[in-house]
Structures are given as structure tokens and as C-alpha cells.
């Protein structure tokens, strides 16, 4: 009986040692949902200035992002690999809203984004480790 116990203990230990290590970065599956913009360029988003919520959905199958930047609909492609993320130039509808400041700030940073992570329930888009925009899952 002791031989079996020792064998199964050794087997469990070997399996634990050979288990794939989880990366310190976010799991890519964390990205594929709808995210609501809460901060851009270090400033909290004033939702009273938005025509509608600034929220974006990442579609894994199509590698597309779509949603609203606060006034206009936006859409485009993205590429993700581990913690790297880049956007193609995003297209947007051309509606004019009373306050376009949040939308302008967000759209101005999309070509700078090169990293992403999900931490404490927030998606953070960054450029070389410097946070550019922060989102919460919808």
C-alpha cells in the first residue's frame, strides 16, 4: 500500500512540475469582450459629455474592434500577440456632437497603443508600458 501511495505522490508531483506555467501577462481570452472607456490620457472620462457610452468590443474571430467613441461609431482591425496589441487605422462615422473632447483624445491614442493587460478587472492600453486608456468590462 505504501508503494502505491509513494507512486501516486511522485506522479502528482511530476505532473505539477511539468504543468504549463501561467504567464504574468493577461490571458488573451480576457480581451474578447465589451469594454467601457473610463480613463484616457490619465484623466477620468466625464460620461456627462458623451452622446452615448464609449465602449468597444473585440471580436476574436474577425480580429475587429467595433463600438462607439462617445459620439461616433468606430470600427477597424487589430492584431494581438501575447501582451502586444496594435490597431489598424480606425474608421469612424462623421456625426458632430456637442462635446467631442473624449472621442478626440481616444482616437488620437489608438495609433500609439502597442501593449495591453487586464488587471484588477480593468483593460489598460499602453505605449511601451505607459498607460494611455483604461476600460472596465461591461
Amino acid at each position: 500500500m505504501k508503494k502505491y501511495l509513494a507512486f501516486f505522490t511522485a506522479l502528482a508531483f511530476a505532473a505539477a512540475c511539468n504543468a504549463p506555467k501561467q504567464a504574468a501577462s493577461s490571458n488573451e481570452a480576457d480581451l474578447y469582450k465589451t469594454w467601457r472607456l473610463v480613463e484616457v490620457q490619465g484623466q477620468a472620462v466625464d460620461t456627462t459629455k458623451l452622446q452615448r457610452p464609449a465602449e468597444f468590443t473585440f471580436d476574436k474571430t474577425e480580429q475587429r474592434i467595433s463600438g462607439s467613441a462617445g459620439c461616433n461609431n468606430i470600427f477597424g482591425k487589430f492584431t494581438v500577440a501575447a501582451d502586444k496589441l496594435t490597431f489598424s487605422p480606425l474608421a469612424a462615422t462623421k456625426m458632430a456632437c456637442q462635446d467631442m473632447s473624449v472621442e478626440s483624445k481616444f482616437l488620437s491614442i489608438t495609433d500609439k497603443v502597442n501593449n495591453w493587460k487586464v488587471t484588477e478587472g480593468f483593460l489598460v492600453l499602453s505605449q511601451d508600458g505607459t498607460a494611455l486608456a483604461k476600460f472596465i468590462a461591461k
Side-chain angles (χ1 to χ4, degrees):
M1 184 69 158
K2 288 183 180 180
K3 288 182 184 180
Y4 290 117
L5 181 59
F7 172 75
F8 287 116
T9 301
L11 187 62
F13 181 74
C17 289
N18 291 326
K21 306 289 187 260
Q22 288 194 341
S25 63
S26 302
N27 184 334
E28 189 177 316
D30 293 339
L31 183 64
Y32 301 112
K33 55 181 78 172
T34 300
W35 295 96
R36 182 166 288 172
L37 183 65
V38 294
E39 185 178 295
V40 66
Q41 295 178 331
Q43 296 182 334
V45 171
D46 181 354
T47 57
T48 63
K49 293 183 175 185
L50 301 178
Q51 183 78 17
R52 56 186 163 174
E55 51 191 37
F56 317 97
T57 301
F58 290 87
D59 181 321
K60 180 178 183 173
T61 305
E62 299 290 325
Q63 293 289 287
R64 295 185 61 79
I65 183 174
S66 61
S68 165
C71 176
N72 288 286
N73 291 328
I74 63 163
F75 46 93
K77 293 237 178 217
F78 66 90
T79 304
V80 64
D83 67 339
K84 304 297 181 199
L85 174 71
T86 56
F87 295 103
S88 67
L90 299 181
T93 55
K94 300 288 185 189
M95 295 185 298
C97 293
Q98 192 168 12
D99 189 328
M100 303 282 288
S101 61
V102 171
E103 182 165 315
S104 295
K105 284 181 186 178
F106 176 72
L107 293 175
S108 74
I109 61 104
T110 58
D111 63 336
K112 298 174 185 167
V113 171
N114 60 15
N115 299 103
W116 72 280
K117 68 180 176 179
V118 174
T119 182
E120 299 177 9
F122 292 96
L123 168 64
V124 180
L125 302 182
S126 317
Q127 179 183 33
D128 301 326
T130 301
L132 300 174
K134 189 175 184 180
F135 304 79
I136 191 162
K138 179 178 170 189

